[in-house]
Amino acid sequence: MTQSDRISFVNTVLKLLDRGQYSKNDQLSETVAAATSILSYVEPSLVLPFLASRFHMALETMTATHQLKTAVTSIAFAGRSLFFSSLSALPMDSTNVSGLNSYADLLMISLSNALLGMDANDPPKTLATMQLLGSLFSNMSTVDDNINEGSLIPSLRFSEWLDEFFCRLFSLLQHLEPSSVLNEGVSSPSSSGTFLVEDGPYYFCMLEILLGRLSDSLYKQALKKISKFVTTNILPGAIAEVGLLCCACVHSNPQEAVLQLIKPMLESVISSLKATPTTGFGCSANSNASSSKKEKATISPALETAIGYQLKVLSVAISYAGPALLHYREQFKEVIFSAFDSTSWKINGAGDHVLRSLLGSLVHYYPIDQYKCVMHHPFSASLENWIDTKDFSIDKPVIGPKWHVPVEDEIRFANELLKLHFESALDDLLTICQSKIHSDPGDEKDHLKVTLLRVDSSLQGVLSCLPDFSPSSENGMVKEPSFSPFLIAGATGSRVGSSELRQKAANVIHETCKYLLKEKSDDSILLLLLIRVIDTLGNYGSSEYEEWSNHRQAWKLESTAIIEPPINFIVSSHSEGKRRPRWALIDKAYMHNTWRSSQSSFHLSRMSGNMFPSDQVTLLMDDLLCLSLHGYETVRRLAAKSILKMMKRWPSTISKCVLTLAEKFRNPSLPENVVLGSCAVLSSQTVLKRLTTDRKALSSFLLGILYSSHNESQKAQKAITELFVKYNIHFAGLSRSIFGGPSQADGTDFAGLVAEIGSMSFETSNLHWRYNLMANRVLLLLAMASRNDPNVPAKVLSQIAGHFLKNLKSQLPQSRLLAISALNTLLKESPHKISAENRVHGQGSLQADPKSSLEEALSSIFQEEGFFSDTLNSLSHVHIITDMDTGSSRGHYGSSSLQSFADKSITRFYFDFSASWPRTPSWISLFGSDTFYSNFARIFKRLIQECGMPVLLALKNALEEFVDAKERSKQCVAAEAFAGVLHSDVLGVSEAWDSWMMVQLQNIIHAPSVESIPEWAASIRYAATGKGKSGTRAPLLRHKVIDCLMKPLPQIVATSVVAKRYTFLSAILIEVSPVGMPESEILVHYNLLDELLSNMSHSSAQVREAIGVALSVLCSNLRLCASFGNDHSNESGASNADITPARSWDRYLVKRASELVTKIQNVSASEALEIPKEKLSENGMSSDHSKDDIKWMETLFHFIISSLKSGRSSVLLDVLVELLYPVISLQETSNKDLSNLAKAAFELLKWRVTREPHLRKAVSIILSLANDPNWRTRSATLTFLRSFMYRHDFILSNMDKQHIWLAVEKLLIDSQLEVREHAAAVLAGLMKGGDKDLVEDFRRRAYEQAAALIKKRKHRSTVSALPVASVHGSILALAACVLSIPYDMPSWLPEHVTLLARFVSEPSPLKSTVTKAIAEFRRTHADTWNVHKDSFTEEQLEVLADTSSSSSYFA
């Protein structure tokens, strides 16, 4: 793009950004901020001044406080472009913002306001401020006070700013409140749950960047303040926030920060813990005898809270300290020992955090010096150079990150901690479980809790640094090589401990689990701790995966603030991809390594068929399986989550689990919790996916569910139902291995499984209806999965299809609906259907004796005596039609409204497995509400295509009986069956049409009943629906049906029959494809169009509406056909004089409508004046003629409404634009029906977007209507303009906008008072979002005219000589300016309000306008008047006070 193209593009987009920037929709405002950021690199001279002015506006506003958050976000996103612009000395001439001379000033104001933005009571603004600080400091290479030529913000002293920043930050932390109450015990997180931590990563990220970029002197200044704050404050409501503050300090400079921060905290905690009572459980099991005999001492709540706070802050602070902690190893050992030895469970939990954090800090790999700047931008050394990962080259020097790699002393210290708190704790657990060393159950429970906690925290600390179990093979254990087997290179940290240690832990935990389930099965805390230990032991690498997964969610929300787009025109530096700060890329590398370490040995079993889980993993899985069936829901949920992770890693274990759990369903005396636990495990996608390949597991699973109906618990039944529903949702077919014969391994057979389930699906099986439905559903799923497999006998599928055909007349409504879905799925072969090729050569060229594999089994069923009569009767029961709701939703069927919520969950799954009908969007206004179900019609169609004419012969008598039935439900099902027959296209259907179907259709048309018209219209539409993928091929009988409908009706017939015929014609023509429409169909369109145009003045309103709808269908079809080049209107002899209106229908409608508008308006005016009829007759306008004109116009309005509602208006837009004139002109007439239709069309038209070339025509019509002699028309035009201008603001030319503004301004001095006031209201709306130049010009002229009037008021004679409308117009213009700013107080508003108030002494209606406008101004500015009144002078306030009796209001 050239520069002029860029400027044009940016100017266009800025119009949109201007509207959306301060939206209250967060997603929109953030998208605008991101777009502004990108454009600021493209054309900064346009975008940055816009950004600066909008930021200044947000700082000034008093009412729309949400703007400040968006403004701060916008500056954060555009921070880098602002820095580039300030360094390149880009001028700021066009901003018109006082106090800003350069972009550096804007950055300084942003940083200063950031200090005010940290507010505990306004989380969104605080987080936006954190993001702004992070963005700005990510750009700066170093933050110091040395002012030189390259300084980014030369006017700011950072030492002073830093002091103020920490004062504000500490105040924020002191006033934070957790968003949720902390849970008691070890499960409570170290985070305090405030918005700074929960709502985004900005807080910690900002601290890391800021402290990483500070110069040495400023860092020491900051560290001193932070140390003082941390050691003198206890803030239990901000644990994580204070901890992360310390962590950022330590990460930036570990040696200095450990000395200043960690050491005082350790000393404080040690001294506090010495004063607390102990249990003796902190180290070994031998010191328990004495303590168990004593009374348990308690600790004061205040001391407990203080110690817990200090320990948790310490645990977060040391996360990245590494070798700097080695100097304090003894202190750490003492702190951890004392914490576990405390009588307080809260302190025990805090000690757990310290131990796991300490171990992680010692042995894990993580980046150090991540946030320090090492790459300076070539444009300026004070700016950091960001990195483009796509622009990688070996030739360029790469400055990689520094990593913490544990030294020998760190590994030795970690092993020492493991020996103290892992091996020792395991020995303690074994001792407690094998020897009853406690006589008091309470002491035993406390000892078990602390010991399990020590084991858990040790495992959570080292994670996968403790080697995994050695996998086994079919021949025994795989020999462990010198290193652990892996597929993906990656490690969390250096190796500590050994695989034998993990095996020992698994054996001890297995014994502990047996003991707890036997002795302490009601203690949920112990069991939850145990599950966490099992999870960490058995799921090697899962903790790392969860950490990576959580972090990945944050990447999806990656802030635009740290992205520089590839295009940068500010410094002409373009790149291959997006540039990001070095610290952000290091963060991604760190997380990628975390993911690699989680996956290093995860897929071993998939890569080698000889790899199986070790014996220890099997033991742990058995324990988890027992725990997943526990009586407590929390225990079951956690155990199920853990076992599913194990099964995902070792898929070979799933089958055993399924067999064990599914077998339990058959047990009649099964407790409720066992069913609930089993369902929770079996409903996972991991298990359901395995069922597709394992026949024995599948058979056990399905039969287990179907044989579980004996369970009496409602919760258990609901869980089983939900499990079955989930199986339906995730069913994706079956593996071919399942369809083979019985294997030696499982002894099951697919055909045998189908037979067993089929025997359960009959109504005579005495199963509950829900289980009967489940059996039928399983049968359908198995049939769908196996119908294309050669190993499955054809007899199996034919038996299933026959079974479902019989179920159509089932007594159970749900079984009928499922049978419909099943038959629609199974009947696919269609051997009797005439193909498109055969239709060309004639119908007799089909293959001899075509036969379907299902035909024999189905024929014997439907040829039974009365089969179709019973079937139609049972299907009619589905169509429930109530008085309140004449039709139910298509997807739910009538019977579902009578079901309970539990029943609906199982009957909801009637998958169609076919395209929805109708293919075009449903048009509600066309036929009204109907209960026509296309699924039902599809069954009859496919049954006929599958088995041929015998079906039609068997169906004929039943269909004729139901067509003549009086009940609407029977008419509904007859309509569905008739539609299926007409659409079947089988050999012989044409003869059947000639012999009896055409007569039936004629009877349906002539039938006097009107209730079932919507269903029959839908039936006709279905019968005419096109065939093929695109629906362009006409069905065999479509032309015959059209010919039947086109036959004229008898002379004397009910109007409902006339309307019905037009409705049926509309329905069938909707489905005609205009692409490639044959000449015969075009001729039908023109013949029908001619008939409709001649009947537009029909006496019946019902018929007129049907004609309007039919017109919209016909005209849009003809237009579309012409657009594809298929219009033959000028060919052959069709263009006779008598069908000229039809051939030029568009010109005819417009011309006729224009003529009738004047006549109807004259009639309305005459009726208003009560002119006698004789007078009208003399003028040639008889009463009868005027009524016909009104009826014609009503039909035209029906045409407009149906065109707009149907979505067909795009091809009729030129006509609709021309018809704006009658729609707007006839809003108020003496005929209420006509006016109501005009208003309905008006409401639809005013929101319709009109594009060129029709837009210019629309504008000219609107402008002419604004000068209409009828004042009601002028007022209606103003109403239309409100929406029209809003919808076309971005596509109207400047010239058109000016013309419309001038037209509305002209109406301010209209002779009619209502029009003047309406014009002022419209102008106030236009000023709120209109073109700035037009708004400012109007406001200036309005003020000047009003001021001139005030001057002339001294000469009373001059003022009185002016027309009232002229003076009133000037006052209304001024009032519109005042009311266009309802809440803020721009600098020009006080003068305008005061000038308006000076007209209060004018006579009515001028005075009324002034008082109303001033009253509205007072109301909207009342909340902030104490601030806004400072914008007024004393004299102005006095003038305002004179306009109200409440003189003290503006004092």
Side-chain angles (χ1 to χ4, degrees):
M1 291 173 72
T2 63
Q3 186 174 10
S4 59
D5 291 337
R6 293 201 305 269
I7 291 172
S8 175
F9 172 75
V10 171
N11 274 324
T12 304
V13 179
L14 276 179
K15 291 180 184 178
L16 299 170
L17 300 182
D18 188 30
R19 285 290 180 89
Q21 184 175 24
Y22 290 138
S23 168
K24 290 186 179 179
N25 183 307
D26 288 341
Q27 287 181 325
L28 176 58
S29 60
E30 190 157 333
T31 303
V32 168
T36 309
S37 169
I38 295 168
L39 290 178
S40 67
Y41 291 92
V42 177
E43 201 56 50
S45 59
L46 293 175
V47 179
L48 294 180
F50 161 80
L51 196 63
S53 63
R54 303 292 283 181
F55 180 64
H56 188 71
M57 182 197 303
L59 292 180
E60 282 189 336
T61 183
M62 295 297 300
T63 51
T65 52
H66 71 281
Q67 291 185 1
L68 196 56
K69 178 243 177 185
T70 306
V72 170
T73 304
S74 299
I75 297 293
F77 285 5
R80 191 161 180 83
S81 57
L82 284 168
F83 276 119
F84 278 131
S85 300
S86 65
L87 289 170
S88 59
L90 193 73
M92 254 183 108
D93 298 335
S94 57
T95 57
N96 297 322
V97 179
S98 59
L100 292 181
N101 300 317
S102 67
Y103 293 114
D105 291 343
L106 178 60
L107 291 167
M108 186 190 73
I109 291 172
S110 304
L111 277 174
S112 303
N113 279 280
L115 301 177
L116 304 173
M118 291 189 287
D119 183 359
N121 296 318
D122 193 348
K125 184 175 68 176
T126 304
L127 290 172
T129 301
M130 301 291 178
Q131 188 179 22
L132 171 66
L133 294 174
S135 166
L136 296 184
F137 289 120
S138 285
N139 287 282
M140 301 167 71
S141 58
T142 312
V143 178
D144 57 27
D145 273 342
N146 295 329
I147 299 175
N148 52 48
E149 290 183 3
S151 293
L152 294 173
I153 311 177
S155 54
L156 190 68
R157 289 195 60 82
F158 278 106
S159 58
E160 296 172 6
W161 183 90
L162 202 62
D163 284 342
E164 183 64 24
F165 167 75
F166 280 115
C167 285
R168 295 273 181 179
L169 180 63
F170 297 155
S171 174
L172 171 66
L173 295 177
Q174 286 169 332
H175 291 91
L176 281 178
E177 293 182 6
S179 57
S180 59
V181 179
L182 291 180
N183 297 320
E184 292 295 320
V186 71
S187 60
S188 65
S190 61
S191 72
S192 52
T194 71
F195 68 89
L196 284 181
V197 172
E198 287 193 344
D199 294 353
Y202 303 126
Y203 168 73
F204 182 53
C205 208
M206 179 272 297
L207 290 174
E208 289 268 33
I209 296 165
L210 173 59
L211 292 166
R213 299 291 162 93
L214 291 178
S215 63
D216 289 342
S217 59
L218 288 183
Y219 176 79
K220 288 176 182 175
Q221 175 187 333
L223 184 59
K224 186 176 178 183
K225 291 185 76 71
I226 293 169
S227 178
K228 181 180 177 183
F229 172 74
V230 171
T231 52
T232 56
N233 287 277
I234 301 292
L235 302 174
I239 294 171
E241 287 74 9
V242 177
L244 290 172
L245 176 61
C246 299
C247 180
C249 277
V250 173
H251 200 185
S252 181
N253 190 338
Q255 300 296 335
E256 191 77 29
V258 167
L259 184 64
Q260 297 278 347
L261 273 177
I262 307 300
K263 182 182 176 183
M265 290 168 70
L266 279 172
E267 291 170 352
S268 175
V269 171
I270 290 170
S271 63
S272 299
L273 283 170
K274 283 180 180 175
T276 59
T278 61
T279 60
F281 301 155
C283 195
S284 69
N286 301 324
S287 58
N288 299 321
S290 60
S291 63
S292 62
K293 296 175 185 176
K294 298 178 182 177
E295 289 279 336
K296 184 175 180 180
T298 57
I299 182 172
S300 71
L303 183 58
E304 181 184 52
T305 302
I307 295 173
Y309 165 79
Q310 290 175 325
L311 286 171
K312 286 186 177 179
V313 168
L314 183 65
S315 71
V316 181
I318 63 174
S319 300
Y320 302 114
L325 300 176
L326 291 174
H327 300 296
Y328 306 97
R329 69 175 72 191
E330 296 304 322
Q331 288 93 321
F332 273 107
K333 287 197 298 191
E334 184 177 353
V335 164
I336 294 167
F337 167 73
S338 301
F340 284 133
D341 208 27
S342 173
T343 57
S344 164
W345 179 235
K346 283 185 178 180
I347 294 177
N348 298 154
D352 153 68
H353 289 301
V354 176
L355 176 56
R356 70 171 69 178
S357 185
L358 177 59
L359 284 168
S361 180
L362 292 170
V363 301
H364 290 177
Y365 302 139
Y366 48 82
I368 54 178
D369 290 342
Q370 177 181 353
Y371 294 90
K372 295 204 183 310
C373 174
V374 295
M375 299 173 67
H376 298 277
H377 201 281
F379 188 66
S380 171
S382 57
L383 202 66
E384 187 190 31
N385 194 21
W386 288 6
I387 301 170
D388 168 24
T389 52
K390 290 186 179 179
D391 191 23
F392 178 77
S393 173
I394 301 176
D395 301 333
K396 294 181 181 178
V398 179
I399 305 175
K402 295 180 183 177
W403 293 91
H404 166 254
V405 179
V407 296
E408 191 176 337
D409 284 347
E410 288 178 277
I411 295 172
R412 192 181 300 116
F413 185 25
N415 278 317
E416 188 179 346
L417 288 172
L418 283 183
K419 191 164 186 178
L420 282 171
H421 295 287
F422 187 55
E423 292 187 62
S424 170
L426 290 174
D427 295 337
D428 289 358
L429 275 179
L430 207 54
T431 306
I432 297 168
C433 297
Q434 292 179 349
S435 323
K436 295 284 288 183
I437 61 171
H438 291 282
S439 56
D440 182 3
D443 284 346
E444 185 181 48
K445 174 185 174 180
D446 290 342
H447 199 176
L448 281 168
K449 276 167 58 179
V450 172
T451 312
L452 282 170
L453 186 59
R454 289 164 62 201
V455 172
D456 180 51
S457 57
S458 301
L459 287 169
Q460 290 288 345
V462 295
L463 297 177
S464 57
C465 296
L466 182 67
D468 192 17
F469 302 113
S470 297
S472 63
S473 65
E474 292 177 343
N475 305 321
M477 296 294 288
V478 175
K479 290 183 180 180
E480 186 178 356
S482 57
F483 58 93
S484 300
F486 67 88
L487 290 169
I488 298 174
T492 303
S494 295
R495 178 171 168 169
V496 290
S498 63
S499 180
E500 289 76 16
L501 187 56
R502 192 180 281 265
Q503 290 172 16
K504 174 187 174 182
N507 292 325
V508 171
I509 291 300
H510 177 63
E511 294 297 323
T512 308
C513 181
K514 288 197 294 185
Y515 178 76
L516 290 181
L517 286 174
K518 182 181 177 183
E519 302 290 338
K520 305 277 185 185
S521 61
D522 59 343
D523 196 317
S524 60
I525 291 181
L526 285 175
L527 293 175
L528 290 172
L529 272 171
L530 180 73
I531 294 169
R532 284 173 53 185
V533 172
I534 294 175
D535 184 40
T536 315
L537 271 177
N539 288 309
Y540 182 80
S542 70
S543 298
E544 285 92 334
Y545 184 81
E546 286 175 13
E547 182 185 355
W548 169 80
S549 181
N550 293 334
H551 211 82
R552 189 176 61 161
Q553 298 304 316
W555 289 347
K556 289 180 182 177
L557 305 172
E558 185 180 38
S559 172
T560 312
I562 56 168
I563 294 177
E564 180 187 336
I567 303 299
N568 185 342
F569 285 101
I570 304 174
V571 291
S572 298
S573 169
H574 309 310
S575 60
E576 293 289 323
K578 297 174 182 176
R579 298 183 181 96
R580 291 177 175 83
R582 180 172 174 271
W583 64 261
L585 297 178
I586 293 174
D587 191 50
K588 291 196 173 190
Y590 176 37
M591 278 301 114
H592 182 67
N593 179 64
T594 304
W595 175 81
R596 294 182 74 90
S597 64
S598 73
Q599 302 293 299
S600 60
S601 60
F602 186 81
H603 299 284
L604 281 175
S605 63
R606 292 171 174 79
M607 301 303 292
S608 170
N610 200 30
M611 287 278 191
F612 295 96
S614 66
D615 296 340
Q616 285 78 17
V617 171
T618 308
L619 287 175
L620 294 176
M621 286 192 74
D622 291 341
D623 293 338
L624 284 174
L625 201 58
C626 294
L627 289 164
S628 67
L629 308 178
H630 195 271
Y632 292 157
E633 185 185 357
T634 51
V635 174
R636 290 200 304 271
R637 192 187 301 124
L638 194 62
K641 184 180 177 184
S642 182
I643 197 172
L644 287 171
K645 285 192 279 187
M646 286 194 187
M647 287 194 291
K648 200 168 185 179
R649 186 181 179 193
W650 302 105
S652 58
T653 61
I654 298 175
S655 298
K656 177 187 172 186
C657 177
V658 171
L659 294 174
T660 305
L661 296 177
E663 193 63 35
K664 293 182 183 295
F665 282 144
R666 302 193 183 204
N667 186 351
S669 58
L670 201 64
E672 178 183 272
N673 58 280
V674 177
V675 177
L676 297 177
S678 300
C679 289
V681 175
L682 292 173
S683 63
S684 68
Q685 290 191 48
T686 305
V687 173
L688 296 179
K689 190 176 179 182
R690 180 71 177 182
L691 294 178
T692 61
T693 58
D694 191 321
R695 182 164 58 197
K696 188 174 182 182
L698 174 69
S699 175
S700 178
F701 173 81
L702 293 176
L703 294 176
I705 289 177
L706 297 178
Y707 281 119
S708 63
S709 62
H710 50 72
N711 206 302
E712 296 179 358
S713 163
Q714 285 191 352
K715 273 190 178 180
Q717 287 293 338
K718 184 183 177 186
I720 292 169
T721 300
E722 288 174 352
L723 169 61
F724 184 74
V725 167
K726 195 162 187 181
Y727 176 70
N728 276 268
I729 293 172
H730 294 286
F731 183 81
L734 298 172
S735 168
R736 288 183 176 273
S737 60
I738 287 182
F739 304 129
S743 62
Q744 294 179 354
D746 53 31
T748 57
D749 174 54
F750 181 74
L753 176 63
V754 170
E756 186 171 359
I757 295 173
S759 66
M760 301 171 67
S761 59
F762 287 104
E763 293 177 31
T764 54
S765 60
N766 296 324
L767 275 179
H768 185 276
W769 71 264
R770 196 184 294 116
Y771 284 85
N772 179 280
L773 184 64
M774 285 184 187
N776 277 297
R777 180 65 189 164
V778 170
L779 214 55
L780 172 58
L781 292 178
L782 295 177
M784 285 164 46
S786 62
R787 63 183 171 186
N788 295 323
D789 193 275
N791 295 323
V792 179
K795 186 180 178 183
V796 172
L797 287 177
S798 60
Q799 285 175 348
I800 294 175
H803 167 77
F804 282 119
L805 186 60
K806 289 178 184 175
N807 268 6
L808 282 179
K809 55 179 184 177
S810 165
Q811 298 300 311
L812 297 173
Q814 295 81 11
S815 294
R816 290 199 295 270
L817 296 179
L818 187 61
I820 290 162
S821 180
L823 289 172
N824 275 322
T825 306
L826 295 174
L827 302 178
K828 293 284 188 183
E829 295 185 32
S830 309
H832 293 271
K833 181 180 176 182
I834 302 173
S835 66
E837 295 80 10
N838 287 326
R839 197 183 298 182
V840 176
H841 303 294
Q843 298 176 11
S845 58
L846 285 173
Q847 296 176 0
D849 194 22
K851 198 132 182 144
S852 160
S853 59
L854 307 177
E855 185 172 341
E856 186 176 343
L858 298 178
S859 297
S860 61
I861 297 169
F862 68 71
Q863 287 179 352
E864 294 174 5
E865 184 70 27
F867 173 79
F868 276 119
S869 182
D870 294 342
T871 299
L872 292 178
N873 192 46
S874 66
L875 291 178
S876 70
H877 296 155
V878 177
H879 299 76
I880 294 180
I881 299 157
T882 61
D883 294 332
M884 290 187 298
D885 183 16
T886 54
S888 59
S889 173
R890 289 173 182 265
H892 294 264
Y893 304 103
S895 58
S896 66
S897 59
L898 304 178
Q899 298 173 9
S900 69
F901 180 78
D903 293 345
K904 281 184 181 180
S905 65
I906 191 67
T907 58
R908 191 174 292 155
F909 292 94
Y910 309 116
F911 299 144
D912 293 335
F913 300 103
S914 58
S916 60
W917 183 88
R919 291 182 177 182
T920 49
S922 297
W923 187 4
I924 299 169
S925 64
L926 181 55
F927 311 125
S929 182
D930 67 77
T931 53
F932 179 89
Y933 300 134
S934 59
N935 282 357
F936 291 19
R938 198 178 292 125
I939 294 171
F940 293 104
K941 178 180 81 171
R942 287 187 174 162
L943 195 59
I944 294 169
Q945 290 173 346
E946 198 84 18
C947 303
M949 287 304 290
V951 179
L952 202 54
L953 295 173
L955 180 62
K956 178 184 174 184
N957 292 334
L959 189 57
E960 289 175 343
E961 175 193 341
F962 275 69
V963 166
D964 297 332
K966 293 182 179 179
E967 299 94 332
R968 184 176 174 185
S969 59
K970 290 188 175 182
Q971 289 267 322
C972 291
V973 76
E976 288 151 5
F978 197 49
V981 170
L982 291 174
H983 203 242
S984 60
D985 284 10
V986 296
L987 185 65
V989 74
S990 294
E991 291 78 4
W993 166 264
D994 295 333
S995 64
W996 64 275
M997 282 194 282
M998 182 172 68
V999 178
Q1000 281 299 331
L1001 181 57
Q1002 288 173 341
N1003 291 341
I1004 291 164
I1005 297 169
H1006 296 153
S1009 63
V1010 295
E1011 294 86 359
S1012 58
I1013 288 178
E1015 284 75 34
W1016 283 111
S1019 175
I1020 298 293
R1021 183 176 181 183
Y1022 186 93
T1025 300
K1027 304 260 182 175
K1029 280 186 179 180
S1030 55
T1032 54
R1033 196 173 75 247
L1036 198 62
L1037 296 181
R1038 183 200 278 172
H1039 296 300
K1040 295 191 176 186
V1041 175
I1042 291 176
D1043 292 342
C1044 180
L1045 290 172
M1046 285 295 291
K1047 286 181 182 177
L1049 294 170
Q1051 289 292 325
I1052 301 172
V1053 73
T1055 55
S1056 61
V1057 174
V1058 178
K1060 185 194 296 186
R1061 173 174 170 260
Y1062 286 142
T1063 301
F1064 287 0
L1065 280 165
S1066 301
I1068 202 167
L1069 293 176
I1070 279 177
E1071 291 300 325
V1072 170
S1073 173
V1075 184
M1077 194 190 294
E1079 190 173 348
S1080 59
E1081 284 189 356
I1082 295 176
L1083 196 59
V1084 167
H1085 275 69
Y1086 278 116
N1087 290 339
L1088 181 57
L1089 186 56
D1090 194 45
E1091 179 185 338
L1092 294 174
L1093 292 175
S1094 63
N1095 284 330
M1096 284 181 70
S1097 299
H1098 198 280
S1099 59
S1100 167
Q1102 182 185 8
V1103 173
R1104 291 199 297 274
E1105 182 177 0
I1107 289 173
V1109 170
L1111 269 176
S1112 69
V1113 176
L1114 279 171
C1115 296
S1116 56
N1117 276 358
L1118 289 171
R1119 274 288 171 86
L1120 280 168
C1121 180
S1123 69
F1124 288 109
N1126 299 320
D1127 192 356
H1128 306 284
S1129 57
N1130 297 323
E1131 296 179 13
S1132 70
S1135 56
N1136 297 327
D1138 58 330
I1139 57 168
T1140 303
R1143 295 289 171 173
S1144 56
W1145 58 268
D1146 45 2
R1147 295 194 296 276
Y1148 169 74
L1149 288 177
V1150 173
K1151 184 180 178 184
R1152 177 84 173 139
S1154 302
E1155 292 170 355
L1156 294 187
V1157 167
T1158 310
K1159 290 183 180 180
I1160 293 170
Q1161 284 180 330
N1162 291 339
V1163 170
S1164 296
S1166 303
E1167 288 179 356
L1169 297 172
E1170 297 184 354
I1171 298 175
K1173 292 182 181 178
E1174 294 79 7
K1175 183 80 172 176
L1176 292 175
S1177 300
E1178 289 172 10
N1179 294 336
M1181 291 178 60
S1182 69
S1183 174
D1184 290 339
H1185 281 306
S1186 65
K1187 286 181 180 177
D1188 286 346
D1189 293 345
I1190 288 171
K1191 289 170 186 173
W1192 192 95
M1193 194 61 75
E1194 284 184 17
T1195 309
L1196 182 71
F1197 288 157
H1198 280 302
F1199 162 73
I1200 295 171
I1201 292 166
S1202 58
S1203 298
L1204 290 164
K1205 280 190 173 181
S1206 65
R1208 292 169 172 259
S1209 59
S1210 56
V1211 291
L1212 302 172
L1213 207 52
D1214 58 329
V1215 180
L1216 296 178
V1217 166
E1218 295 274 8
L1219 295 178
L1220 272 175
Y1221 176 66
V1223 169
I1224 296 177
S1225 300
L1226 299 177
Q1227 291 295 293
E1228 299 291 341
T1229 64
S1230 58
N1231 188 299
K1232 294 300 176 189
D1233 291 337
L1234 179 65
S1235 293
N1236 288 338
L1237 282 171
K1239 287 173 182 175
F1242 181 90
E1243 287 300 315
L1244 292 167
L1245 269 172
K1246 73 179 184 180
W1247 293 110
R1248 182 70 171 84
V1249 175
T1250 309
R1251 301 189 181 278
E1252 292 292 357
H1254 311 304
L1255 180 58
R1256 190 156 300 180
K1257 181 66 177 174
V1259 171
S1260 66
I1261 291 172
I1262 292 168
L1263 291 175
S1264 67
L1265 285 166
N1267 296 315
D1268 195 86
N1270 190 317
W1271 72 267
R1272 296 185 188 279
T1273 302
R1274 298 198 298 274
S1275 181
T1277 306
L1278 285 169
T1279 305
F1280 188 85
L1281 270 174
R1282 265 185 168 162
S1283 306
F1284 181 82
M1285 286 292 284
Y1286 173 76
R1287 295 289 281 169
H1288 298 84
D1289 191 34
F1290 297 115
I1291 56 177
L1292 274 172
S1293 66
N1294 289 332
M1295 185 65 71
D1296 286 339
K1297 285 183 184 178
Q1298 287 177 6
H1299 288 156
I1300 291 172
W1301 268 81
L1302 290 173
V1304 179
E1305 280 186 52
K1306 186 180 176 184
L1307 292 176
L1308 284 174
I1309 55 173
D1310 194 88
S1311 58
Q1312 192 73 25
L1313 174 64
E1314 291 87 346
V1315 175
R1316 295 200 297 270
E1317 291 179 340
H1318 196 171
V1322 170
L1323 274 171
L1326 291 179
M1327 291 177 74
K1328 289 177 185 176
D1331 185 275
K1332 288 181 180 178
D1333 296 334
L1334 288 173
V1335 171
E1336 288 177 6
D1337 179 60
F1338 172 74
R1339 194 168 59 231
R1340 178 185 54 77
R1341 287 187 289 106
Y1343 185 82
E1344 289 173 355
Q1345 289 174 11
L1349 277 176
I1350 289 292
K1351 287 181 182 178
K1352 291 178 183 178
R1353 192 168 61 170
K1354 296 176 182 178
H1355 309 287
R1356 285 287 174 182
S1357 58
T1358 309
V1359 176
S1360 59
L1362 291 171
V1364 173
S1366 176
V1367 179
H1368 196 196
S1370 298
I1371 294 172
L1372 283 168
L1374 202 57
C1377 294
V1378 171
L1379 297 179
S1380 67
I1381 308 291
Y1383 301 110
D1384 285 323
M1385 187 66 68
S1387 57
W1388 57 264
L1389 188 53
E1391 289 182 353
H1392 282 63
V1393 178
T1394 310
L1395 184 58
L1396 180 63
R1398 294 184 189 278
F1399 286 96
V1400 75
S1401 58
E1402 296 292 330
S1404 187
L1406 282 63
K1407 180 178 180 178
S1408 173
T1409 299
V1410 174
T1411 52
K1412 284 179 183 176
I1414 297 294
E1416 180 65 13
F1417 169 79
R1418 287 172 176 164
R1419 185 187 68 79
T1420 55
H1421 290 80
D1423 292 341
T1424 52
W1425 181 245
N1426 287 333
V1427 178
H1428 283 156
K1429 71 178 181 180
D1430 294 337
S1431 304
F1432 292 78
T1433 64
E1434 288 295 328
E1435 183 185 352
Q1436 289 173 334
L1437 289 174
E1438 287 177 10
V1439 174
L1440 284 178
D1442 292 341
T1443 61
S1444 170
S1445 58
S1446 175
S1447 58
S1448 63
Y1449 184 88
F1450 286 92

